[in-house]
Amino acid sequence: MNTKTKRKTDPALAQARREQVLCAAADCFKRKGYHGAGMAEISRTAGMSAGHIYNYFASKEAIIESIIERDMEELFSVFQEFEDQPGNLVTILLNGLDSGVERHIDVDQGALDLEMQSEAARNEKVARLLRKSDLQAREKMRSLLVGERSPIKAAKAAEIDSRIEVMFALMNGLLMRKILNPSIDKELLLIAVRPAMKTLITPFD
Amino acid sequence: MNTKTKRKTDPALAQARREQVLCAAADCFKRKGYHGAGMAEISRTAGMSAGHIYNYFASKEAIIESIIERDMEELFSVFQEFEDQPGNLVTILLNGLDSGVERHIDVDQGALDLEMQSEAARNEKVARLLRKSDLQAREKMRSLLVGERSPIKAAKAAEIDSRIEVMFALMNGLLMRKILNPSIDKELLLIAVRPAMKTLITPFD
Amino acid sequence: MNTKTKRKTDPALAQARREQVLCAAADCFKRKGYHGAGMAEISRTAGMSAGHIYNYFASKEAIIESIIERDMEELFSVFQEFEDQPGNLVTILLNGLDSGVERHIDVDQGALDLEMQSEAARNEKVARLLRKSDLQAREKMRSLLVGERSPIKAAKAAEIDSRIEVMFALMNGLLMRKILNPSIDKELLLIAVRPAMKTLITPFD
Amino acid sequence: MNTKTKRKTDPALAQARREQVLCAAADCFKRKGYHGAGMAEISRTAGMSAGHIYNYFASKEAIIESIIERDMEELFSVFQEFEDQPGNLVTILLNGLDSGVERHIDVDQGALDLEMQSEAARNEKVARLLRKSDLQAREKMRSLLVGERSPIKAAKAAEIDSRIEVMFALMNGLLMRKILNPSIDKELLLIAVRPAMKTLITPFD
DNA sequence: CATGAATGAGTTTTCATTCAT
DNA sequence: TATGAATGAAAACTCATTCAT
């Protein structure tokens, strides 16, 4: 009664169904891994028949690709926040560490990231998507580091690149630490993360 | 005449066979991943029948577990080297970075590590092994950092722990960087890895 | 006002819808084969929903059965033409060969015929329909061959039957030839088809 | 004890298994059609697990391809017989008609032929095999018709080709006749087949 | 009348594992 | 000890058919 609401396919329903599948799949992948989770389990989790999923996704691969794309957008927004904040860059980034570390040691989301990373080593399509996402993140970071507010804006391009790589490596590596040593927590990590990151965003020597 | 060398299982031969399988499997897993490599391929690579492998390993899973154990020993020996070297600890560790970075951005071995890491998120046995290995590595490193030669030997336990976690995170994170950005190389990374590591093994402030 | 033209099923519309489906299905079957064409494609081609087709046909099988029935009527009309033409029977039939050969080496339609034929070998309903159609065709042909204008009207029944069977065999066999040797064309075939058919409609010896 | 009989794969067994599968598959295809017969049924008929079949054939398609190849060799031997027989060609071919007609109205084998023919209309690989087989048959026949003993050895190439095509069409068409009119038998058909074939292997006019 | 979302049994194929020899 | 033939359960995916709207 509210709108036209009747004739033809309802795109809102379709979108809802896609989300349903995406969430269910992400959940299954976290628990069982991409290869370990079958369409049967995903469909059960999503509350719809396996066959029906194929009305929304062309293949199991298409599902993980969609998950990656969804995550990409989220990642992007994190970096946008840094850019939008006023004031001293070092302060901004170091302040961001708190939530950054927290986000990176979330094993639940991390398990999925790891899974995608593993898949990328063997699946070119997945690799391409992940790299695209990563490229955007690096560019965002570079624009911060060479910006007016940056204490290292004068550094050579290679040095900037290296700093970015190592910052990212450090943060991403935290996930593995949490998996291998579940007893660590954010506060403990920050003790050393902060000085290390500071080194990475201020001039060497 | 003395040994007869035939009757009943020769334990040396059995061990050799196990090694054969382990090497073949590691090779296959690197190329195709744990799920991508089949027992058929492994047996072909190992030069023995698929059925026969089951005389030495209870399952495919048991194989990867053995590989992990084998890798543990290797990792252990790397740390032993640091300990055995004379002189200034900072110098030793920074000098070790060169080969350390190189080892950590070997995507072939790394892809397997990643897969094992992923597997750990859901396979308790694998997790336990990996953690045991990691624990040993951390202890080795701690013994270095609190040793006589260490510039931070006076630091609090939590700080030491944090430093170790972050060093490991950084190094392990390099693998992901290499996967997401294959164009990076050791030299580029070392530009920022060195200062960051130096920060992590010298007193803060 | 008189018909109200809406309430309850309009039989004319229903018939039109059936035709729509039949044409679409025949089209799809020619292009993809009976098994290769899905209800989804048929419904798309027919411009109606898949579900709706089931208001007119009980099953996919029912559709092909209807197609067969429709084709039967068409075939029938071909024979009617011969009967209606005046003059010498031999001339009429030989003149008809030109278009007859052409029709029989149309692989698109033919592929469907072949599939129906195959289906007949295991689907009794299809077999019955095809045989009914064939029986009518044979009877039409027999009435021509024993008619006043026929040069073999005096032949024994078995001989007439044999001639009809062989004529039909020859014409139907052309389709297989075209499939196995796509390079042949109507003109080439007519070189030998004409004398062979002439033999079959004139007294032996 | 008889031979070495032990070490390594026994190729005789493998061959036997292949035959087993081929026969079972041919049987199933006759009864249910290529698409209608599932691997499950084939494996049941062959008395081995579905999975095991894949040790001998790469796919279901590979099975039908092997069947075609097997049939090709058989067909070839039929033509060889004609060539090897001494005496008048017309007599030889007309004498061969008896068994030829019989072979062509064997609906059991024929159902399979039809199935393969149908498949060829949609499956290029199958089509290629069938055409290769057919080409050999045509060439064999041509060599007979242009040979020393042939009454039409002087005919133009196109005419020879046409005669061959029509002879083959006629014989292959008999199968369809038998399917559409199961009451016909060899004797009845021969009444008209013989004169028609005679026309096709003697000079026109 | 008409839709298309939803189902579930079915498809071919793969593969870790077992076992007679 | 060693083989590889054999299995069977699972995988991803398809599709004719049903049904609430």
Side-chain angles (χ1 to χ4, degrees), chain A residues 31-33 114-115 117-118 122 131 134 138 158 162 165-166 169 173 176-177 179-181 188-189 191-193 195 199, chain B residues 30 33 114-115 117-118 122 130-131 134 138 158 162 165-166 169 173 176-177 179-181 188-189 191-193 199 204:
Chain A
R31 278 182 290 111
K32 307 281 197 78
L114 227 41
E115 200 61 40
Q117 203 91 223
S118 278
R122 236 73 69 174
R131 282 171 192 157
D134 183 63
R138 273 183 281 133
S162 186
E165 292 297 336
V166 177
M176 295 194 198
R177 297 313 311 153
I179 291 174
L180 291 178
N181 184 3
L188 180 91
L189 291 172
I191 297 171
V193 168
T199 297
Chain B
K30 278 173 197 168
L114 226 43
E115 226 151 354
Q117 203 88 225
S118 281
R122 70 192 81 98
L130 247 25
R131 281 170 192 157
D134 184 64
R138 273 183 281 135
S162 186
E165 292 296 335
V166 177
M176 296 193 196
R177 298 312 311 152
I179 291 174
L180 291 178
N181 184 3
L188 181 93
L189 290 172
I191 296 172
V193 167
T199 296
F204 296 145

Short mmCIF file of all heavy atoms in Angstrom, two decimals, chain A residues 31-33 114-115 117-118 122 131 134 138 158 162 165-166 169 173 176-177 179-181 188-189 191-193 195 199, chain B residues 30 33 114-115 117-118 122 130-131 134 138 158 162 165-166 169 173 176-177 179-181 188-189 191-193 199 204:
data_model
loop_
_atom_site.label_atom_id
_atom_site.label_comp_id
_atom_site.label_asym_id
_atom_site.label_seq_id
_atom_site.Cartn_x
_atom_site.Cartn_y
_atom_site.Cartn_z
N ARG A 31 34.77 -19.94 10.50
CA ARG A 31 34.82 -21.15 11.31
C ARG A 31 35.51 -22.31 10.62
O ARG A 31 36.25 -23.07 11.23
CB ARG A 31 33.40 -21.56 11.73
CG ARG A 31 32.91 -20.78 12.96
CD ARG A 31 31.53 -21.24 13.38
NE ARG A 31 30.50 -20.85 12.42
CZ ARG A 31 29.83 -21.68 11.63
NH1 ARG A 31 30.06 -22.97 11.69
NH2 ARG A 31 28.92 -21.22 10.79
N LYS A 32 35.27 -22.46 9.31
CA LYS A 32 35.76 -23.65 8.63
C LYS A 32 36.78 -23.36 7.54
O LYS A 32 37.35 -24.29 6.96
CB LYS A 32 34.58 -24.40 7.98
CG LYS A 32 33.44 -24.73 8.92
CD LYS A 32 33.77 -25.96 9.74
CE LYS A 32 32.50 -26.55 10.34
NZ LYS A 32 31.71 -27.33 9.37
N GLY A 33 36.94 -22.11 7.21
CA GLY A 33 37.82 -21.79 6.11
C GLY A 33 37.06 -21.84 4.80
O GLY A 33 35.98 -22.42 4.71
N LEU A 114 42.72 -13.78 7.08
CA LEU A 114 43.79 -14.74 6.84
C LEU A 114 43.38 -15.73 5.76
O LEU A 114 44.17 -16.08 4.87
CB LEU A 114 44.07 -15.49 8.15
CG LEU A 114 45.51 -15.65 8.58
CD1 LEU A 114 46.30 -14.39 8.34
CD2 LEU A 114 45.59 -16.10 10.02
N GLU A 115 42.16 -16.14 5.87
CA GLU A 115 41.62 -17.08 4.89
C GLU A 115 41.70 -16.49 3.48
O GLU A 115 42.12 -17.14 2.52
CB GLU A 115 40.16 -17.36 5.25
CG GLU A 115 39.59 -18.61 4.66
CD GLU A 115 40.35 -19.82 5.14
OE1 GLU A 115 40.72 -19.90 6.32
OE2 GLU A 115 40.61 -20.70 4.29
N GLN A 117 43.62 -14.09 2.51
CA GLN A 117 45.03 -13.94 2.17
C GLN A 117 45.61 -15.26 1.63
O GLN A 117 46.29 -15.30 0.62
CB GLN A 117 45.79 -13.54 3.44
CG GLN A 117 47.08 -12.85 3.22
CD GLN A 117 46.89 -11.34 3.16
OE1 GLN A 117 47.48 -10.72 2.31
NE2 GLN A 117 46.10 -10.74 4.01
N SER A 118 45.29 -16.34 2.33
CA SER A 118 45.73 -17.66 1.89
C SER A 118 45.21 -17.96 0.50
O SER A 118 45.92 -18.42 -0.38
CB SER A 118 45.19 -18.74 2.83
OG SER A 118 45.98 -18.86 3.97
N ARG A 122 46.73 -18.46 -4.12
CA ARG A 122 46.46 -19.50 -5.11
C ARG A 122 45.40 -19.07 -6.12
O ARG A 122 45.27 -19.65 -7.17
CB ARG A 122 45.93 -20.76 -4.37
CG ARG A 122 46.71 -21.99 -4.63
CD ARG A 122 48.07 -22.01 -3.96
NE ARG A 122 48.01 -22.12 -2.51
CZ ARG A 122 49.08 -22.26 -1.74
NH1 ARG A 122 50.29 -22.32 -2.26
NH2 ARG A 122 48.96 -22.34 -0.45
N ARG A 131 44.65 -6.91 -3.70
CA ARG A 131 45.69 -5.96 -4.03
C ARG A 131 45.13 -4.59 -4.36
O ARG A 131 45.72 -3.56 -4.04
CB ARG A 131 46.51 -6.48 -5.21
CG ARG A 131 47.50 -7.54 -4.78
CD ARG A 131 48.16 -8.23 -5.94
NE ARG A 131 48.87 -9.41 -5.47
CZ ARG A 131 49.18 -10.44 -6.23
NH1 ARG A 131 48.84 -10.46 -7.50
NH2 ARG A 131 49.83 -11.46 -5.71
N ASP A 134 44.38 -3.03 -1.17
CA ASP A 134 45.62 -2.65 -0.49
C ASP A 134 46.26 -1.43 -1.13
O ASP A 134 46.77 -0.54 -0.44
CB ASP A 134 46.59 -3.84 -0.54
CG ASP A 134 47.86 -3.54 0.22
OD1 ASP A 134 47.79 -3.35 1.44
OD2 ASP A 134 48.93 -3.48 -0.43
N ARG A 138 47.35 1.99 0.69
CA ARG A 138 48.71 2.54 0.66
C ARG A 138 48.71 3.97 0.13
O ARG A 138 49.42 4.84 0.64
CB ARG A 138 49.61 1.67 -0.22
CG ARG A 138 50.24 0.52 0.55
CD ARG A 138 51.18 -0.27 -0.34
NE ARG A 138 50.46 -1.18 -1.22
CZ ARG A 138 50.68 -1.33 -2.50
NH1 ARG A 138 51.62 -0.61 -3.09
NH2 ARG A 138 49.97 -2.18 -3.21
N ALA A 158 61.10 6.22 -2.02
CA ALA A 158 61.36 4.84 -1.60
C ALA A 158 61.26 4.72 -0.08
O ALA A 158 60.72 3.74 0.44
CB ALA A 158 62.73 4.37 -2.08
N SER A 162 58.71 2.41 1.93
CA SER A 162 59.20 1.43 2.90
C SER A 162 58.49 1.60 4.24
O SER A 162 58.05 0.65 4.86
CB SER A 162 60.71 1.57 3.07
OG SER A 162 61.20 0.54 3.89
N GLU A 165 54.99 0.24 4.03
CA GLU A 165 54.99 -1.22 4.02
C GLU A 165 55.22 -1.76 5.43
O GLU A 165 54.54 -2.69 5.87
CB GLU A 165 56.08 -1.76 3.09
CG GLU A 165 55.85 -1.49 1.59
CD GLU A 165 54.60 -2.18 1.08
OE1 GLU A 165 54.18 -3.18 1.69
OE2 GLU A 165 54.04 -1.72 0.08
N VAL A 166 56.16 -1.18 6.11
CA VAL A 166 56.50 -1.72 7.42
C VAL A 166 55.42 -1.43 8.45
O VAL A 166 55.09 -2.27 9.29
CB VAL A 166 57.88 -1.20 7.88
CG1 VAL A 166 58.21 -1.70 9.28
CG2 VAL A 166 58.95 -1.67 6.89
N ALA A 169 52.84 -3.89 7.68
CA ALA A 169 53.31 -5.22 8.08
C ALA A 169 53.14 -5.39 9.58
O ALA A 169 52.60 -6.40 10.05
CB ALA A 169 54.78 -5.40 7.69
N GLY A 173 50.67 -7.97 11.12
CA GLY A 173 51.32 -9.06 11.83
C GLY A 173 50.73 -9.29 13.22
O GLY A 173 50.82 -10.40 13.76
N MET A 176 48.49 -12.35 13.57
CA MET A 176 49.17 -13.64 13.74
C MET A 176 49.64 -13.82 15.18
O MET A 176 49.58 -14.89 15.74
CB MET A 176 50.37 -13.72 12.81
CG MET A 176 49.98 -13.72 11.34
SD MET A 176 51.41 -14.23 10.35
CE MET A 176 50.92 -13.64 8.74
N ARG A 177 50.11 -12.71 15.75
CA ARG A 177 50.55 -12.80 17.14
C ARG A 177 49.41 -13.21 18.05
O ARG A 177 49.57 -14.06 18.93
CB ARG A 177 51.11 -11.45 17.62
CG ARG A 177 52.35 -10.95 16.88
CD ARG A 177 53.40 -12.01 16.75
NE ARG A 177 53.65 -12.66 18.01
CZ ARG A 177 54.09 -13.90 18.15
NH1 ARG A 177 54.33 -14.65 17.08
NH2 ARG A 177 54.30 -14.42 19.32
N ILE A 179 46.84 -14.89 17.29
CA ILE A 179 46.48 -16.29 17.06
C ILE A 179 47.50 -17.21 17.75
O ILE A 179 47.13 -18.18 18.41
CB ILE A 179 46.43 -16.60 15.55
CG1 ILE A 179 45.23 -15.89 14.91
CG2 ILE A 179 46.32 -18.11 15.32
CD1 ILE A 179 45.18 -16.02 13.40
N LEU A 180 48.76 -16.86 17.62
CA LEU A 180 49.80 -17.72 18.20
C LEU A 180 49.95 -17.51 19.70
O LEU A 180 50.47 -18.37 20.40
CB LEU A 180 51.14 -17.46 17.50
CG LEU A 180 51.20 -17.94 16.05
CD1 LEU A 180 52.54 -17.59 15.43
CD2 LEU A 180 50.96 -19.44 15.98
N ASN A 181 49.52 -16.38 20.17
CA ASN A 181 49.65 -16.10 21.59
C ASN A 181 48.40 -15.37 22.06
O ASN A 181 48.40 -14.15 22.24
CB ASN A 181 50.90 -15.24 21.82
CG ASN A 181 51.15 -15.00 23.29
OD1 ASN A 181 50.44 -15.52 24.16
ND2 ASN A 181 52.16 -14.18 23.59
N LEU A 188 49.19 -4.44 26.31
CA LEU A 188 50.55 -4.96 26.26
C LEU A 188 51.20 -4.59 24.94
O LEU A 188 52.34 -4.08 24.90
CB LEU A 188 50.56 -6.49 26.42
CG LEU A 188 51.97 -7.06 26.38
CD1 LEU A 188 52.54 -7.13 27.79
CD2 LEU A 188 52.02 -8.40 25.70
N LEU A 189 50.50 -4.83 23.88
CA LEU A 189 51.07 -4.56 22.56
C LEU A 189 51.42 -3.09 22.38
O LEU A 189 52.47 -2.74 21.82
CB LEU A 189 50.09 -5.00 21.46
CG LEU A 189 49.92 -6.51 21.34
CD1 LEU A 189 48.79 -6.83 20.36
CD2 LEU A 189 51.21 -7.17 20.86
N ILE A 191 52.57 -0.97 24.28
CA ILE A 191 53.83 -0.57 24.89
C ILE A 191 54.94 -0.45 23.84
O ILE A 191 55.69 0.53 23.80
CB ILE A 191 54.28 -1.58 25.98
CG1 ILE A 191 53.27 -1.60 27.12
CG2 ILE A 191 55.69 -1.24 26.49
CD1 ILE A 191 53.53 -2.73 28.13
N ALA A 192 55.01 -1.43 22.98
CA ALA A 192 56.06 -1.40 21.96
C ALA A 192 55.58 -0.91 20.61
O ALA A 192 56.34 -0.39 19.80
CB ALA A 192 56.70 -2.78 21.83
N VAL A 193 54.29 -1.09 20.36
CA VAL A 193 53.77 -0.64 19.07
C VAL A 193 53.94 0.88 18.93
O VAL A 193 54.36 1.38 17.89
CB VAL A 193 52.28 -1.01 18.90
CG1 VAL A 193 51.68 -0.28 17.70
CG2 VAL A 193 52.12 -2.52 18.72
N PRO A 195 56.11 3.18 20.29
CA PRO A 195 57.45 3.65 19.90
C PRO A 195 57.83 3.24 18.48
O PRO A 195 58.42 4.02 17.73
CB PRO A 195 58.37 2.98 20.93
CG PRO A 195 57.48 2.68 22.09
CD PRO A 195 56.13 2.40 21.53
N THR A 199 58.68 5.78 15.43
CA THR A 199 59.89 5.72 14.61
C THR A 199 59.55 5.74 13.13
O THR A 199 60.22 6.36 12.32
CB THR A 199 60.67 4.43 14.94
OG1 THR A 199 61.08 4.47 16.28
CG2 THR A 199 61.87 4.28 14.01
N LYS B 30 53.22 -26.24 -0.85
CA LYS B 30 53.68 -24.92 -1.26
C LYS B 30 53.13 -24.55 -2.62
O LYS B 30 52.73 -23.43 -2.87
CB LYS B 30 55.21 -24.89 -1.32
CG LYS B 30 55.86 -24.66 0.04
CD LYS B 30 57.37 -24.82 -0.05
CE LYS B 30 57.95 -25.01 1.35
NZ LYS B 30 59.36 -25.44 1.31
N GLY B 33 48.86 -25.59 -2.13
CA GLY B 33 48.09 -25.37 -0.91
C GLY B 33 47.67 -26.69 -0.30
O GLY B 33 47.68 -27.72 -0.97
N LEU B 114 50.96 -19.39 6.04
CA LEU B 114 49.67 -18.73 6.15
C LEU B 114 48.55 -19.75 6.26
O LEU B 114 47.61 -19.61 7.04
CB LEU B 114 49.46 -17.85 4.91
CG LEU B 114 48.94 -16.44 5.14
CD1 LEU B 114 49.64 -15.79 6.30
CD2 LEU B 114 49.10 -15.63 3.87
N GLU B 115 48.67 -20.76 5.46
CA GLU B 115 47.63 -21.78 5.46
C GLU B 115 47.60 -22.50 6.81
O GLU B 115 46.53 -22.80 7.34
CB GLU B 115 47.89 -22.78 4.34
CG GLU B 115 46.63 -23.08 3.58
CD GLU B 115 46.93 -23.44 2.13
OE1 GLU B 115 48.10 -23.34 1.69
OE2 GLU B 115 46.00 -23.85 1.44
N GLN B 117 48.53 -21.21 9.56
CA GLN B 117 47.99 -20.22 10.49
C GLN B 117 46.45 -20.21 10.43
O GLN B 117 45.78 -20.23 11.45
CB GLN B 117 48.51 -18.84 10.07
CG GLN B 117 48.53 -17.82 11.13
CD GLN B 117 49.84 -17.85 11.92
OE1 GLN B 117 49.81 -17.79 13.12
NE2 GLN B 117 50.99 -17.94 11.25
N SER B 118 45.93 -20.20 9.21
CA SER B 118 44.49 -20.24 9.01
C SER B 118 43.92 -21.50 9.64
O SER B 118 42.90 -21.47 10.34
CB SER B 118 44.14 -20.28 7.51
OG SER B 118 44.23 -19.01 6.95
N ARG B 122 41.08 -22.95 13.44
CA ARG B 122 39.97 -23.89 13.62
C ARG B 122 40.38 -25.30 13.95
O ARG B 122 39.57 -26.13 14.29
CB ARG B 122 39.10 -23.89 12.35
CG ARG B 122 39.74 -24.51 11.15
CD ARG B 122 38.96 -24.22 9.91
NE ARG B 122 39.29 -22.90 9.41
CZ ARG B 122 40.16 -22.69 8.41
NH1 ARG B 122 40.79 -23.70 7.86
NH2 ARG B 122 40.42 -21.48 8.00
N LEU B 130 51.63 -24.99 16.67
CA LEU B 130 52.14 -23.69 16.26
C LEU B 130 52.47 -22.84 17.50
O LEU B 130 53.50 -22.15 17.55
CB LEU B 130 51.08 -22.98 15.41
CG LEU B 130 51.35 -22.74 13.92
CD1 LEU B 130 52.34 -23.72 13.33
CD2 LEU B 130 50.03 -22.77 13.13
N ARG B 131 51.60 -22.91 18.47
CA ARG B 131 51.82 -22.12 19.67
C ARG B 131 53.04 -22.61 20.45
O ARG B 131 53.80 -21.82 21.01
CB ARG B 131 50.57 -22.16 20.57
CG ARG B 131 49.50 -21.23 20.07
CD ARG B 131 48.19 -21.42 20.79
NE ARG B 131 47.15 -20.70 20.05
CZ ARG B 131 45.86 -20.98 20.12
NH1 ARG B 131 45.44 -21.98 20.88
NH2 ARG B 131 44.99 -20.27 19.43
N ASP B 134 55.91 -21.31 18.68
CA ASP B 134 56.02 -19.87 18.89
C ASP B 134 56.51 -19.55 20.30
O ASP B 134 57.33 -18.64 20.49
CB ASP B 134 54.64 -19.23 18.66
CG ASP B 134 54.69 -17.73 18.77
OD1 ASP B 134 55.39 -17.12 17.93
OD2 ASP B 134 54.08 -17.17 19.69
N ARG B 138 59.67 -17.28 21.31
CA ARG B 138 59.59 -16.11 22.18
C ARG B 138 60.56 -16.25 23.36
O ARG B 138 61.22 -15.28 23.76
CB ARG B 138 58.16 -15.94 22.70
CG ARG B 138 57.29 -15.12 21.75
CD ARG B 138 55.91 -14.91 22.35
NE ARG B 138 55.07 -16.09 22.19
CZ ARG B 138 54.32 -16.61 23.13
NH1 ARG B 138 54.32 -16.07 24.34
NH2 ARG B 138 53.59 -17.69 22.88
N ALA B 158 56.79 -6.98 31.14
CA ALA B 158 55.74 -6.67 30.17
C ALA B 158 56.31 -5.95 28.97
O ALA B 158 55.93 -6.21 27.82
CB ALA B 158 54.64 -5.84 30.82
N SER B 162 56.19 -7.19 25.20
CA SER B 162 55.60 -6.38 24.15
C SER B 162 56.57 -6.20 22.98
O SER B 162 56.19 -6.34 21.82
CB SER B 162 55.21 -5.01 24.72
OG SER B 162 54.51 -4.26 23.74
N GLU B 165 56.66 -9.38 20.98
CA GLU B 165 55.45 -9.53 20.17
C GLU B 165 55.50 -8.64 18.94
O GLU B 165 55.18 -9.07 17.82
CB GLU B 165 54.20 -9.19 20.99
CG GLU B 165 53.89 -10.17 22.12
CD GLU B 165 53.58 -11.56 21.60
OE1 GLU B 165 53.14 -11.69 20.43
OE2 GLU B 165 53.78 -12.53 22.35
N VAL B 166 55.91 -7.41 19.14
CA VAL B 166 55.88 -6.47 18.03
C VAL B 166 56.96 -6.79 17.00
O VAL B 166 56.74 -6.68 15.80
CB VAL B 166 55.97 -5.02 18.54
CG1 VAL B 166 56.01 -4.04 17.37
CG2 VAL B 166 54.77 -4.72 19.43
N ALA B 169 55.56 -9.63 15.14
CA ALA B 169 54.45 -9.16 14.31
C ALA B 169 54.99 -8.50 13.05
O ALA B 169 54.56 -8.80 11.93
CB ALA B 169 53.58 -8.17 15.09
N GLY B 173 54.43 -9.97 9.51
CA GLY B 173 53.56 -9.17 8.66
C GLY B 173 54.16 -8.92 7.28
O GLY B 173 53.43 -8.67 6.31
N MET B 176 52.60 -10.92 4.42
CA MET B 176 51.34 -10.40 3.86
C MET B 176 51.62 -9.25 2.92
O MET B 176 50.97 -9.10 1.89
CB MET B 176 50.42 -9.94 4.99
CG MET B 176 49.98 -11.05 5.91
SD MET B 176 48.63 -10.45 6.94
CE MET B 176 48.62 -11.70 8.22
N ARG B 177 52.57 -8.42 3.31
CA ARG B 177 52.91 -7.30 2.43
C ARG B 177 53.36 -7.79 1.07
O ARG B 177 52.97 -7.27 0.04
CB ARG B 177 54.00 -6.42 3.04
CG ARG B 177 53.66 -5.77 4.34
CD ARG B 177 52.31 -5.08 4.30
NE ARG B 177 52.18 -4.24 3.14
CZ ARG B 177 51.03 -3.95 2.54
NH1 ARG B 177 49.89 -4.47 2.98
NH2 ARG B 177 51.00 -3.16 1.50
N ILE B 179 52.65 -10.53 -0.36
CA ILE B 179 51.54 -11.10 -1.12
C ILE B 179 50.66 -9.99 -1.70
O ILE B 179 50.26 -10.04 -2.87
CB ILE B 179 50.68 -12.02 -0.21
CG1 ILE B 179 51.47 -13.28 0.15
CG2 ILE B 179 49.38 -12.40 -0.90
CD1 ILE B 179 50.77 -14.19 1.16
N LEU B 180 50.42 -8.96 -0.90
CA LEU B 180 49.54 -7.88 -1.37
C LEU B 180 50.26 -6.90 -2.29
O LEU B 180 49.63 -6.20 -3.07
CB LEU B 180 48.96 -7.13 -0.17
CG LEU B 180 47.95 -7.93 0.64
CD1 LEU B 180 47.47 -7.12 1.83
CD2 LEU B 180 46.76 -8.33 -0.24
N ASN B 181 51.56 -6.87 -2.18
CA ASN B 181 52.32 -5.95 -3.01
C ASN B 181 53.59 -6.66 -3.47
O ASN B 181 54.67 -6.43 -2.93
CB ASN B 181 52.65 -4.69 -2.20
CG ASN B 181 53.37 -3.65 -3.05
OD1 ASN B 181 53.56 -3.84 -4.26
ND2 ASN B 181 53.78 -2.56 -2.42
N LEU B 188 64.14 -2.50 -0.25
CA LEU B 188 63.18 -1.46 0.07
C LEU B 188 62.69 -1.59 1.50
O LEU B 188 62.65 -0.63 2.27
CB LEU B 188 61.98 -1.52 -0.89
CG LEU B 188 60.95 -0.43 -0.61
CD1 LEU B 188 61.22 0.78 -1.50
CD2 LEU B 188 59.53 -0.91 -0.77
N LEU B 189 62.32 -2.80 1.85
CA LEU B 189 61.78 -3.02 3.19
C LEU B 189 62.80 -2.66 4.28
O LEU B 189 62.46 -2.07 5.31
CB LEU B 189 61.35 -4.48 3.35
CG LEU B 189 60.11 -4.86 2.54
CD1 LEU B 189 59.89 -6.36 2.60
CD2 LEU B 189 58.88 -4.11 3.05
N ILE B 191 64.89 -0.44 4.51
CA ILE B 191 65.00 0.99 4.82
C ILE B 191 64.25 1.34 6.10
O ILE B 191 64.77 2.05 6.97
CB ILE B 191 64.43 1.85 3.64
CG1 ILE B 191 65.27 1.62 2.37
CG2 ILE B 191 64.37 3.32 4.03
CD1 ILE B 191 64.66 2.28 1.13
N ALA B 192 63.05 0.82 6.21
CA ALA B 192 62.27 1.15 7.41
C ALA B 192 62.30 0.04 8.46
O ALA B 192 62.10 0.30 9.65
CB ALA B 192 60.82 1.45 7.01
N VAL B 193 62.55 -1.18 8.02
CA VAL B 193 62.58 -2.28 9.00
C VAL B 193 63.72 -2.05 9.99
O VAL B 193 63.55 -2.21 11.20
CB VAL B 193 62.75 -3.65 8.31
CG1 VAL B 193 63.10 -4.72 9.33
CG2 VAL B 193 61.49 -4.02 7.54
N THR B 199 64.58 0.50 17.16
CA THR B 199 63.73 1.06 18.22
C THR B 199 63.28 -0.04 19.18
O THR B 199 63.19 0.16 20.39
CB THR B 199 62.50 1.74 17.60
OG1 THR B 199 62.93 2.83 16.81
CG2 THR B 199 61.53 2.23 18.69
N PHE B 204 63.40 2.72 25.06
CA PHE B 204 62.51 3.73 24.50
C PHE B 204 62.92 5.09 25.06
O PHE B 204 63.48 5.20 26.14
CB PHE B 204 61.07 3.44 24.90
CG PHE B 204 60.56 2.14 24.33
CD1 PHE B 204 59.68 1.34 25.04
CD2 PHE B 204 60.96 1.71 23.05
CE1 PHE B 204 59.20 0.15 24.51
CE2 PHE B 204 60.48 0.51 22.52
CZ PHE B 204 59.61 -0.27 23.25
#
